Amino acid sequence: MGYWQIIYLLIFSSSLLLSHVHSEYRIDSLDQVFLDYANSTLSKHRTDRLYEVVLPSNFSDMDLSVIRIRSSTFWKKGVEFGCFHIPKRVIPMTYEKRIAIVYENLGTLSNYYFRPPSGYKFVAPVIGFEVYDATNVSSLGTTKLTLIITGDTISINFTSIMISNNSTLTPKCVKLSPDGSILESTNMTKRNVCFSEDSGHFSVVVPSPTTPEIVKKKKNEKVWQRWVVGLAAGLGILGLLIVVMMVVLRLLKKRKVRKMEEVSEKEVALDRIIVGRSVMPCAAMIRTQPTIENDLVP
């Protein structure tokens, strides 16, 4: 393996370590998967009725339902499904003749797909809904529709919140973004009920108690991360130094060869003879003729 391959390996491994340490936890959105399953049963559905969608075994802890409704009925009466109550006088944008609402409850897999904000924990499953165009009877549109509230807000009734009645912790209603971060956070003003003005994913969190073990674990994680970052940075710097040294040595070698060529050009060129497989310089004549110092000849 050449030194250039070794340098590339060092730099690549250091960048991989850095990206692993600094990579943020990111979830894969299930909306498209749920939409596909909802479409697979859409032909059997009647308007204004809520249907449960059967999911595969790996989604067995989740609940998925879909309802198709006329926009005129949606405006006049609103709709109630799962834990959500959408009041009347709500306008879907863009306006479509029929809309479909896909309701999801992630259940025990909520912590797998979403992370609560730092210092908090989920005390209720993550639930949500999305609105799609249902003008086509055979399939739903892929574009999510937003809702415009002109009257009361959407209410979310969490039937099971894992917090005791004697607890002094103040629950917070949170709206989660598709990448798992927090979009909105408000204190729960009505028992087990949160409010929203649009579709999305929602849950309830409370402050998470900090124990000495947790603090120690977090400190150890930070120390480990610092060591990894330091090692990766060291490997990167080492690789860079090797590259610089190789370039400098190559330049010095070229400079030395150039000087030798200049010196050889200034000197008198000698003839060359071939002896065996070797080429050797050869003087054709003696530049300084010998002279006899005295006339005494033995």
Side-chain angles (χ1 to χ4, degrees):
M1 181 182 292
Y3 63 88
W4 288 111
Q5 287 84 352
I6 296 175
I7 293 172
Y8 174 77
L9 182 61
L10 289 173
I11 297 175
F12 176 76
S13 59
S14 62
S15 62
L16 184 63
L17 287 171
L18 284 172
S19 63
H20 176 73
V21 171
H22 293 289
S23 61
E24 297 180 355
Y25 181 82
R26 184 176 179 85
I27 65 168
D28 294 328
S29 176
L30 296 178
D31 293 339
Q32 185 59 47
V33 177
F34 289 152
L35 182 62
D36 292 339
Y37 281 109
N39 274 326
S40 64
T41 60
L42 194 63
S43 59
K44 304 176 183 179
H45 295 176
R46 294 183 179 180
T47 305
D48 300 338
R49 292 187 61 180
L50 182 68
Y51 290 87
E52 183 178 353
V53 179
V54 179
L55 296 173
S57 58
N58 55 327
F59 294 143
S60 58
D61 292 333
M62 301 181 182
D63 294 327
L64 181 65
S65 302
V66 60
I67 181 173
R68 189 165 52 185
I69 186 172
R70 294 181 178 87
S71 296
S72 57
T73 305
F74 184 67
W75 165 261
K76 294 177 182 178
K77 298 180 179 180
V79 65
E80 187 169 350
F81 55 91
C83 301
F84 292 90
H85 172 72
I86 302 179
K88 59 183 179 180
R89 296 186 178 277
V90 176
I91 306 173
M93 292 298 293
T94 56
Y95 178 82
E96 304 293 345
K97 185 177 180 180
R98 285 183 177 86
I99 61 172
I101 301 175
V102 179
Y103 164 74
E104 59 197 59
N105 185 335
L106 303 188
T108 57
L109 295 178
S110 299
N111 284 289
Y112 181 79
Y113 290 99
F114 289 93
R115 281 187 176 180
S118 178
Y120 289 85
K121 64 177 181 178
F122 287 128
V123 292
V126 175
I127 59 177
F129 74 95
E130 297 293 347
V131 184
Y132 299 93
D133 171 25
T135 304
N136 190 340
V137 179
S138 60
S139 64
L140 302 179
T142 57
T143 303
K144 298 177 183 178
L145 306 181
T146 58
L147 299 178
I148 298 178
I149 306 296
T150 62
D152 297 333
T153 57
I154 301 170
S155 60
I156 311 165
N157 185 14
F158 289 92
T159 55
S160 58
I161 294 182
M162 296 174 290
I163 184 173
S164 62
N165 296 331
N166 300 328
S167 176
T168 58
L169 299 176
T170 302
K172 285 183 174 292
C173 301
V174 292
K175 181 178 180 180
L176 306 167
S177 68
D179 65 356
S181 60
I182 303 299
L183 285 178
E184 299 175 6
S185 176
T186 56
N187 290 332
M188 180 178 286
T189 57
K190 186 178 179 180
R191 184 176 178 82
N192 293 1
V193 178
C194 295
F195 300 94
S196 177
E197 294 185 351
D198 202 354
S199 59
H201 297 86
F202 309 89
S203 188
V204 180
V205 298
V206 295
S208 178
T210 304
T211 61
E213 291 79 8
I214 296 176
V215 174
K216 185 177 180 180
K217 183 179 179 180
K218 289 183 178 180
K219 288 183 177 179
N220 292 336
E221 289 179 353
K222 290 183 178 179
V223 171
W224 179 83
Q225 289 180 357
R226 289 174 182 173
W227 274 101
V228 174
V229 172
L231 177 62
L235 290 174
I237 294 174
L238 178 61
L240 183 62
L241 289 176
I242 292 175
V243 172
V244 173
M245 289 179 61
M246 293 298 178
V247 173
V248 171
L249 290 176
R250 180 169 292 184
L251 291 176
L252 291 176
K253 185 177 180 180
K254 288 183 178 180
R255 184 177 180 184
K256 184 177 180 180
V257 171
R258 189 179 296 112
K259 285 185 176 180
M260 293 176 63
E261 292 176 349
E262 292 176 355
V263 171
S264 63
E265 290 175 356
K266 293 179 180 179
E267 294 179 351
V268 177
L270 300 177
D271 294 335
R272 296 181 181 182
I273 60 173
I274 299 177
V275 179
R277 296 183 178 180
S278 302
V279 179
M280 299 182 180
C282 175
M285 59 176 293
I286 300 176
R287 296 174 60 185
T288 305
Q289 297 294 331
T291 57
I292 299 176
E293 296 182 354
N294 50 59
D295 296 333
L296 299 176
V297 180

